[in-house]
Amino acid sequence: KINKIKSINYRKVYFYEYNKMINTKIINRKNLICGEIIEGPAIIEESDTSTLILKNQMLYIDNYQNLIIERK
């Protein structure tokens, strides 16, 4: 299930590693379900924290709703 999320917003975000602004997926964690896969760059927003996924990373949601980040 790659990027099947209903509400994905985009925002320009500065990435120091690339020294430039990159159009980045902004996703509310409440919209993620088990088995969902997000390819970076992306930011997962929650009320008390944010999770950054870089261009060379992917994130998936496990059966316990944990955010697992791995290299592509």
Side-chain angles (χ1 to χ4, degrees):
K1 296 182 194 177
I2 297 179
N3 298 335
K4 300 282 186 187
I5 302 160
K6 293 179 183 175
S7 73
I8 296 179
N9 295 311
Y10 289 86
R11 187 182 311 149
K12 293 271 186 190
V13 175
Y14 179 78
F15 284 83
Y16 178 81
E17 298 85 357
Y18 309 112
N19 193 31
K20 65 179 178 178
M21 302 289 282
I22 297 176
N23 202 29
T24 304
K25 295 182 269 302
I26 308 296
I27 303 165
N28 189 312
R29 171 125 185 219
K30 293 177 186 176
N31 295 330
L32 298 177
I33 59 172
C34 178
E36 201 83 62
I37 297 172
I38 309 298
E39 294 185 350
I43 296 175
I44 309 302
E45 294 185 327
E46 300 181 64
S47 62
D48 58 350
T49 192
S50 298
T51 303
L52 175 65
I53 301 106
L54 299 174
K55 284 172 57 170
N56 64 341
Q57 297 175 326
M58 58 184 266
L59 171 142
Y60 70 91
I61 310 301
D62 71 8
N63 293 332
Y64 301 102
Q65 296 299 311
N66 295 306
L67 303 178
I68 310 297
I69 299 173
E70 296 180 346
R71 291 181 192 225
K72 289 186 197 175

